């Protein structure tokens, strides 16, 4: 699956939960160098998905708050 497709398919909670599992496996040790590197790379991808999802949520929240302030300012000007 391509990175962009995967990002669209993974929700924040799914990516976060998988990232937690990757970290747990890395901290537990007992994996080969190759497996550890693959886990690290997967963790980096998942962290990017989480960060983008959170940034998107923040942008939507900021836009909603700005629209609310604009509506309040308009309503205040009509009185």
């Amino acid at each position: 699956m391509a990175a962009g497709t995967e990002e669209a398919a993974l929700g924040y909670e799914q990516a976060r939960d998988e990232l937690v599992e990757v970290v747990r496996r890395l901290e537990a040790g007992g994996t080969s160098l190759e497996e550890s590197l693959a886990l690290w790379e997967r963790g980096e991808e998942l962290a990017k998905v989480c960060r983008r999802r959170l940034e998107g949520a923040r942008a939507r929240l900021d836009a909603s708050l700005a629209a609310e302030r604009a509506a309040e300012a308009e309503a205040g000007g009509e009185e």
Side-chain angles (χ1 to χ4, degrees):
M1 185 181 304
T5 305
E6 180 178 17
E7 184 173 333
L10 276 178
Y12 172 79
E13 290 81 7
Q14 291 171 305
R16 182 204 58 215
D17 291 347
E18 188 178 341
L19 180 56
V20 167
E21 179 61 19
V22 165
V23 170
R24 186 198 63 74
R25 289 182 61 196
L26 285 169
E27 288 179 341
T31 57
S32 69
L33 177 59
E34 287 300 316
E35 187 176 3
S36 293
L37 287 172
L39 285 168
W40 179 270
E41 290 170 350
R42 180 65 180 155
E44 289 289 330
E45 292 170 13
L46 292 165
K48 286 178 187 176
V49 170
C50 289
R51 184 173 46 253
R52 288 183 182 131
R53 293 283 184 187
L54 290 172
E55 288 170 354
R58 170 54 85 182
R60 289 191 305 273
L61 179 60
D62 289 346
S64 177
L65 291 172
E68 185 178 315
R69 284 192 292 271
E72 287 174 357
E74 266 185 37
E78 291 178 9
E79 294 178 7

